[in-house]
Amino acid sequence: MSVRYLAAIVVLGLLATPIATADVPTTQPISQVVKPTLVTLDLDKVAAKDAFAELQKRSKIKVNIVPPDLLARSDTPITLKVKNRPWLEVMLELCDQAGVYPSNYGNNWNITQQGDRRLKARRVIDGPTMIVCHNATTDSEIRFGDAAKTVRTLTLQSMLFTEPGSPVSGISTVTDVVATDDLGRELKPVSTEPAIFSAGYERRDFTIALPLPDADATSIKRVSGKLLAAMLAESAELKIPDLLRKQGDTITFRSATFTVSEVRSVGNWYQVELEVSRGDLPLETFQRLRTNMPPFDPRAENEKQAGIIRVNQVQTRGEDQVLTLTVRPQNIGAPAQPKDEADKPVIDLAWTLPVSYRHVEIPFELTDLPIPR
Amino acid sequence: MKWPLFIFALTTLAVAQTAQPEAEQFIRDLTATDWAKRQQAEDSLVGAGAPAIDAINAALATSTDFEQRDRLQSALARIGREQLLIATPVTVNGRFERPLDAYTALARLVDLPTKCENPDAEARATAAVPVDLDFTDKPWLEALTETVARTNVNIRLEDEKLTLLRVPPAAIRRPTHFAGAISISADNARRRQATDLASGNTTSSLQVRLAAMCEPKIKFRAESMRLMVSKLLDQNGESILGDAQRVVPMQRESGGRYTCTLNFNTAKNAPTAISLIEGDLVGEIITRTIEARVEDLTALPQTLETPAGTIEISSLVRTGKNWSLAVQISRETNFHQSLANGLATDTRDGLHIVDQFGEPMRVNLTAQSMAQATVDVTFTLSSTNSDAQPAKLLWNIASQSRDIRIPFVLRDLPMPN
């Protein structure tokens, strides 16, 4: 090989290096970021209540039983022998055997009599994540004046769940979708759409729409792809002690600022305007200040009292946001009294806000989904 | 470019010329002792049409007879309504060198400019493809539909323009019923089958989307339009009315286009075709508007007295990148309650705000609250120019409306399988 060729290879290699670096994806496969909680159980005809207690003891993951005596009512003995299986898989198996249903809201898993029956549908558990495809819909349409044939589409509705401790804040993209029908034809998706739900961190919905060129296929043999999602990495607590007496004060939270611009007395409660300048708050957090975990009063004795502070309204003001908080320190039904500064109760505000996210890829594969007829 | 070889004329409305003395006789007959004669006199006045309006107004100024006044007002309303629903007639005989020229000629008849959707649409519309039109007293909407078929250039009727589209129309026939200045047609039919993968249950539904198109002179009060279905036959001529909605509210899409979706309760024995849909389009068309004008929006509050009531432009506040405009309307007793209810949504046509540069600003309703005689409305004003500040306001507020009922029939709609 001549020197000229070698020089050319070196130059090309140098040119290629920064391109290759720039192409490194900023997302990581979820398996590299979060390890599933693995559970080993050996239950032989034990009561449902004891089985769930054993699961909680082994996994250190708490689920809420609603009502608390629900499992005591179940007289079905549970037999389950598993070794190093993901927590989601074991929890769902126990629910199936006990005849109860799990449901997921926010950061919590609840076990109830009714629950979310969609979780019984096509589910694929992979480590700390679970994809449930719960609905398949065929649309056939004639558009008068547009085309002389029927357009047919299959829409698959699915949900993503993660086990507690690895909360996903939202699916941003559904990508690399490949689908094949039972006749071996490849179907390119018409659209893929993540649905951003405001409440809760863990459950996320998405749809995949596939064209159905002919009426002869009866099922989708395989559909696979990847979800790109943001996963909560770190939270921090914002604190504004004695909120109602802080009008005009600015509280710095990392490099963001929260200014209490107005405190108004409205009958028996208060309205507080909070101007938020984003600073280094992640966009996901800044855009969801109303729908993130709500602020609370840490001095409150119980959950109900802690919920007296609510974000009622969010307005954009330039690059900042103005939040309107309602603070209801006493029973709304009590007669309104004129208040002066001394009458104001002491309300402390605490707010757990996500301050950093990781971006992860969650692969999925679903098989043998029927095409409704 | 060659000059188009066409003869182009707009015919005047063919209105029966009724002699003034004849109208006066009908008015006298409104006080006859025989009910049938009084009813016939009112119908005859309506039949006389616009030439009878002066005589009716003169009689209204002096009459003290309760029933005569009631019938005079009824006749006036019926004449106004029927005049409004008469289609604009089109008489065109000749050749246009380009599709755009044909559409421009048609749009001019109803005082609309034409606009191409984008450069691709413009290329299609200005291509040297001659269009021959031969219409004699053809209703405007029918002439427009026919021109779409002949030019192969599709259009969209919007608030203040006729837009020529990039995507051409295709061959399938759109079932349409023309009724003067309004047409009713079928947009699409959709069958949906959904399987709950947890239970394995499959549910089915069938929907037919219908659309009404109006000439620009007709404005419906927002949310007043309904489609009332009275007859529905499947491919075998069997009635399927029991499976479908009978009263369907229509939503405004853009300009003179309104749509609704007719839902069928079950698609278990869903029809393979609908051979007949028969019913009525009902709604309130706006027959009079009042104009409110503020020349300087920086000097608020301002109060505008109008025949329909008082309009107070209360405040204009900057909220982030947008502006918030608060308005209170105190309704007079003659201001139609339903118009007050629909005030905010009707403003899509009527409320115009321009900034200090004379550019129009976008107006969105953000809040509306109603009391016995007042309506409080808050609008959000926005612009792509971050320096824009609202400067002037012009508001055409609907102050009078008329109920209309238009029978329609659609035939032979294939349903998806």
Side-chain angles (χ1 to χ4, degrees), chain A residues 85-243:
Chain A
R85 300 306 303 160
W87 175 84
L88 276 168
E89 185 183 309
V90 179
M91 186 270 291
L92 288 166
E93 176 62 30
L94 289 186
C95 286
D96 286 349
Q97 286 200 33
V100 293
Y101 289 88
S103 64
N104 174 259
Y105 184 79
N107 229 351
N108 301 315
W109 280 91
N110 295 337
I111 307 290
T112 63
Q113 188 68 55
Q114 298 295 326
D116 188 345
R117 287 170 190 258
R118 291 176 300 182
L119 290 172
K120 283 264 194 186
R122 304 299 177 86
R123 57 197 189 203
V124 178
I125 297 169
D126 183 11
T129 66
M130 173 170 70
I131 307 276
V132 178
C133 181
H134 61 87
N135 191 285
T137 302
T138 307
D139 282 304
S140 308
E141 187 183 13
I142 290 179
R143 294 172 194 158
F144 302 115
D146 271 3
K149 63 177 184 178
T150 301
V151 177
R152 296 179 77 231
T153 314
L154 173 71
T155 305
L156 302 170
Q157 286 178 272
S158 304
M159 301 183 284
L160 164 71
F161 296 87
T162 53
E163 69 177 44
S166 48
V168 167
S169 80
I171 301 168
S172 60
T173 313
V174 185
T175 185
D176 297 350
V177 174
V178 178
T180 317
D181 67 15
D182 57 351
L183 301 175
R185 288 178 302 204
E186 190 175 307
L187 306 170
K188 289 188 177 166
V190 179
S191 69
T192 55
E193 191 179 338
I196 308 295
F197 273 75
S198 55
Y201 283 117
E202 295 188 13
R203 199 191 80 191
R204 289 294 176 266
D205 297 35
F206 62 97
T207 60
I208 297 169
L210 302 168
L212 292 178
D214 294 306
D216 47 2
T218 58
S219 68
I220 297 298
K221 197 76 190 155
R222 177 176 176 273
V223 57
S224 63
K226 275 192 293 197
L227 306 176
L228 304 186
M231 180 170 270
L232 178 62
E234 187 190 352
S235 296
E237 196 164 273
L238 165 72
K239 288 179 182 167
I240 310 180
D242 201 2
L243 172 69

Side-chain angles (χ1 to χ4, degrees), chain A residues 117-118 120-122 133-148 150 316-318 369-370 372-373, chain B residues 169-175 186-198 202 319-321 413-417:
Chain A
R117 287 170 190 258
R118 291 176 300 182
K120 283 264 194 186
R122 304 299 177 86
C133 181
H134 61 87
N135 191 285
T137 302
T138 307
D139 282 304
S140 308
E141 187 183 13
I142 290 179
R143 294 172 194 158
F144 302 115
D146 271 3
T150 301
T316 305
R317 187 173 294 172
L369 301 168
R373 292 195 171 274
Chain B
I172 193 170
R173 189 181 66 86
R174 184 192 291 270
D187 253 11
N188 66 29
R190 172 182 282 197
R191 186 190 303 276
R192 169 167 286 189
Q193 285 154 299
T195 300
D196 177 343
L197 296 175
T202 297
T319 51
K321 291 174 183 169
L413 281 68
M415 293 293 110
N417 52 31

Side-chain angles (χ1 to χ4, degrees), chain A residues 292-309:
Chain A
N292 269 308
M293 299 298 282
F296 59 99
D297 183 355
R299 293 160 14 106
E301 288 174 9
N302 58 44
E303 199 176 313
K304 196 174 175 186
Q305 283 179 310
I308 60 177
I309 308 171

Side-chain angles (χ1 to χ4, degrees), chain A residues 267-270 308 327-337 339 343 345 347:
Chain A
N268 284 328
W269 49 284
Y270 295 87
I308 60 177
V327 183
R328 296 174 187 268
Q330 57 179 296
N331 184 354
I332 192 70
Q337 299 293 330
K339 293 185 183 66
D343 289 334
I347 302 288

Side-chain angles (χ1 to χ4, degrees), chain B residues 19-30:
Chain B
Q20 184 82 355
E22 202 178 354
E24 285 169 358
Q25 181 57 49
F26 296 147
I27 291 169
R28 277 194 294 278
D29 288 348
L30 291 176

